[in-house]
Amino acid sequence: MKRTLSTTLVSYTDSSSENEQDTEPSTVVSPSPPPSKKRKLPPLAAHLAPAVPLDDPSKHQGRTRATPHVDGQWAAYVYVPIVLRGTLRSIIERAFVIAKREATTVRVLGGSNPDSEDVADVRELHISLTRPFFLRSHQREEMKRVVRDTAKAHPPFTASFAAFSDLTNDEHTRTFFCMEVGAGHQEMRALSEALSPTLLSFRQKEYYDQPRFHASFAWVLLDPPAQASLPEAPEAKDAPLSIVVPFEDPANGNTTSFTTVPRLPENIIPALNAELGSLLNGSAGIFEAAEVCIRIGKDVFSWRLSG
């Protein structure tokens, strides 16, 4: 029997080959190029830049902007409109004459011509349900929807004015001659409170905790706060105080003066109520609250109360 021998071949690695594999080739690192300089864009041409509204009190009867202008932000407020006609118009016309007699700086509120001192230019009065607030562009439709839904959820109602009064705005820049709501106060409050959750979600102030619903028909410009807060001499308490505040018109350099007062003379409101109060809180002061409006910028949207 022939025996076959199997041969196992073992390959040995050549030492020179091993050395070549263990030795990694050297790499030459080239320096990175310097970062390219960013080229600055040329400035926008003046005629393409958006116009920024100027706060020019000379064009607004001495009033100043309480909140700086912001692009895409809209001033707004919600109110119940009251058509001014008949005996109620006559009462306000007489009230303005009395107020003007005691304080010559009184101006009409709500006229079609801001510079007019004629109550005949006033077509309607507003009973505010909110403070003035601000909306971003994307919030406009949501706020309109809330006002619309509020109007649909509440029925129309009869209300009336009770007495004359004066109220000062939050900035203490103007005092207003008002007629305060008597009957209908609870219905007004229900409308106002229905708007509060949305206002708070927009980080805006809700209406006052103790609201005094009213319709304003005239106003006076108050002394600048820094001057109005100065100590008052006792002998000057009842004196007819006023100062003239100059405002320079940026457009042409002219200076316009507006007379301001530290406060209303104390006898004006009692005089109005003594002479016209019985008419105001009688049948002449009764009105129908039939719709709710919101003004956003210069746009007004309204819905009928239909709950």
Side-chain angles (χ1 to χ4, degrees):
M1 179 177 180
K2 188 176 181 179
R3 187 176 180 181
T4 305
L5 298 176
S6 61
T7 305
T8 302
L9 299 177
V10 180
S11 59
Y12 292 90
T13 304
D14 184 70
S15 59
S16 61
S17 299
E18 185 178 357
N19 291 337
E20 289 176 1
Q21 291 180 358
D22 291 343
T23 304
E24 295 185 0
S26 60
T27 303
V28 178
V29 180
S30 58
S32 59
S36 58
K37 294 183 178 180
K38 294 183 179 179
R39 298 181 61 185
K40 292 184 179 180
L41 295 175
L44 189 65
H47 67 280
L48 296 177
V52 178
L54 295 176
D55 187 11
D56 184 3
S58 66
K59 297 179 180 179
H60 302 282
Q61 304 152 315
R63 293 172 291 154
T64 57
R65 187 187 298 272
T67 302
H69 171 78
V70 177
D71 286 337
Q73 179 171 276
W74 306 84
Y77 72 102
V78 182
Y79 62 93
V80 172
I82 307 298
V83 177
L84 188 58
R85 57 191 172 194
T87 307
L88 183 58
R89 174 180 287 279
S90 300
I91 291 174
I92 293 179
E93 288 174 348
R94 291 172 61 183
F96 185 76
V97 171
I98 295 172
K100 192 76 172 176
R101 183 179 64 207
E102 301 293 337
T104 58
T105 60
V106 175
R107 293 180 177 272
V108 171
L109 178 69
S112 55
N113 179 6
D115 295 320
S116 173
E117 295 186 0
D118 189 355
V119 180
D121 289 335
V122 182
R123 294 183 174 84
E124 68 177 23
L125 302 175
H126 296 171
I127 300 177
S128 296
L129 300 176
T130 67
R131 308 182 197 220
F133 58 94
F134 294 91
L135 295 173
R136 305 294 295 178
S137 295
H138 66 278
Q139 297 170 333
R140 289 169 55 111
E141 293 304 317
E142 172 66 11
M143 194 68 216
K144 287 165 57 179
R145 183 191 64 77
V146 171
V147 176
R148 183 192 65 223
D149 292 349
T150 299
K152 288 183 177 180
H154 293 78
F157 57 93
T158 301
S160 64
F161 294 114
F164 290 97
S165 65
D166 62 290
L167 296 171
T168 300
N169 62 2
D170 292 343
E171 296 78 26
H172 298 283
T173 57
R174 290 196 289 172
T175 290
F176 296 85
F177 290 84
C178 310
M179 300 177 295
E180 290 205 54
V181 172
H185 186 278
Q186 292 302 320
E187 290 85 349
M188 296 283 183
R189 184 163 191 165
L191 290 170
S192 178
E193 290 179 347
L195 304 171
S196 295
T198 302
L199 291 174
L200 293 174
S201 71
F202 290 166
R203 299 180 181 274
Q204 299 294 312
K205 291 182 178 180
E206 57 186 331
Y207 207 47
Y208 304 96
D209 292 335
Q210 301 296 324
R212 296 171 63 181
F213 296 105
H214 61 278
S216 301
F217 62 90
W219 59 277
V220 295
L221 190 66
L222 297 179
D223 294 352
Q227 298 186 37
S229 61
L230 292 176
E232 182 181 333
E235 64 273 12
K237 182 176 181 180
D238 298 322
L241 302 176
S242 66
I243 63 173
V244 176
V245 179
F247 293 103
E248 184 175 345
D249 185 351
N252 52 31
N254 293 338
T255 299
T256 305
S257 297
F258 296 93
T259 303
T260 66
V261 296
R263 62 187 178 277
L264 287 183
E266 295 179 356
N267 62 323
I268 289 186
I269 300 303
L272 289 175
N273 283 313
E275 188 165 338
L276 301 172
S278 60
L279 291 174
L280 182 65
N281 60 29
S283 59
I286 299 175
F287 60 91
E288 294 297 320
E291 64 179 338
V292 176
C293 302
I294 180 171
R295 177 166 181 161
I296 304 176
K298 295 182 179 180
D299 299 327
V300 177
F301 308 90
S302 62
W303 293 271
R304 304 285 297 181
L305 294 172
S306 56

